[in-house]
Amino acid sequence: MTQEAISPRSRILAAATDLFYRQGINTTGIAEVADRAGVSKRTLYQLFPGKDLLVAAYLDGITATTERDTGDGNNEYKLFDTALSPHERLVGLFDRPGLVARYRGCPFHDAAVELAEPDHPGLPLVIEHKHRILRQIIDTARQAGAPDPDLLGRQLAVLFEGAMALSTSLNSTEAFDFARSAAEALLDGALPA
């Protein structure tokens, strides 16, 4: 499919998704997004009247892909993979991502760090996504037979968030190995034999 056959809105969102994730939201300008998408700034502003709305649309688009492997190194999709046992889904969160030269971690975490205004339209999407993943981890812990799935789920969520954040900061996915061994210890102690 040629670039012209793809709608300007789709091209803008694809460009924003790549640039916001790879470079950061605050360092990526609207002109750069428009240029990458092959549209004028005017067209971009007609479709997204401000950068904040484009950021919200970017985050909304990522939310829509959470349940499938998009090849971006995010293991959250494993929580939704019913071909795996609940135990395998929980441990799968901590598989070491092995995809890119510069691991950027969770785009929602990155956005939460960058979006300083408390009324930014992207922040509710960040919060809802994090709550959704936490609920899924807790539900998966329940399916695995944890006597206290809420506690186990919250502990695993903290480990997972920590592994992503540290991996981003150090540009090394080694943190996932340490988080995985801690997660396995938690699971061994919490789940029936």
Side-chain angles (χ1 to χ4, degrees), residues 22-188:
R22 302 280 173 230
Q23 297 179 176
I25 293 168
N26 293 333
T27 60
T28 300
I30 288 294
E32 187 175 9
V33 174
D35 185 55
R36 172 78 66 90
V39 300
S40 67
K41 281 177 44 178
R42 179 177 177 208
T43 297
L44 189 147
Y45 279 120
Q46 285 174 335
L47 295 167
F48 301 96
K51 185 175 179 181
D52 289 353
L53 295 176
L54 178 58
V55 170
Y58 151 69
L59 293 169
D60 193 47
I62 295 170
T63 298
T65 65
T66 300
E67 295 184 23
R68 69 180 195 277
D69 183 3
T70 57
D72 63 0
N74 188 347
N75 293 331
E76 291 174 352
Y77 76 92
K78 291 181 181 181
L79 290 169
F80 302 91
D81 186 350
T82 56
L84 301 173
S85 72
H87 185 274
E88 290 169 326
R89 282 183 260 157
L90 292 170
V91 173
L93 280 171
F94 302 96
D95 289 346
R96 187 192 278 216
L99 72 149
V100 292
R102 174 85 174 117
Y103 180 72
R104 294 276 301 143
C106 175
F108 291 94
H109 174 84
D110 296 346
V113 170
E114 289 196 67
L115 304 179
E117 301 88 29
D119 60 343
H120 191 286
L123 284 178
L125 295 166
V126 170
I127 292 166
E128 175 50 37
H129 177 80
K130 292 300 180 180
H131 282 298
R132 178 175 179 239
I133 295 304
L134 175 60
R135 288 190 305 268
Q136 189 64 34
I137 294 171
I138 291 169
D139 186 54
T140 306
R142 182 177 293 107
Q143 292 171 29
D148 190 347
D150 189 68
L151 175 63
L152 179 60
R154 289 175 187 281
Q155 291 170 329
L156 292 172
V158 168
L159 278 175
F160 181 56
E161 286 290 322
M164 286 191 296
L166 188 58
S167 291
T168 301
S169 297
L170 300 177
N171 192 30
S172 168
T173 55
E174 183 180 39
F176 279 89
D177 298 338
F178 299 111
R180 183 185 183 100
S181 62
E184 288 172 338
L186 275 172
L187 289 165
D188 288 346

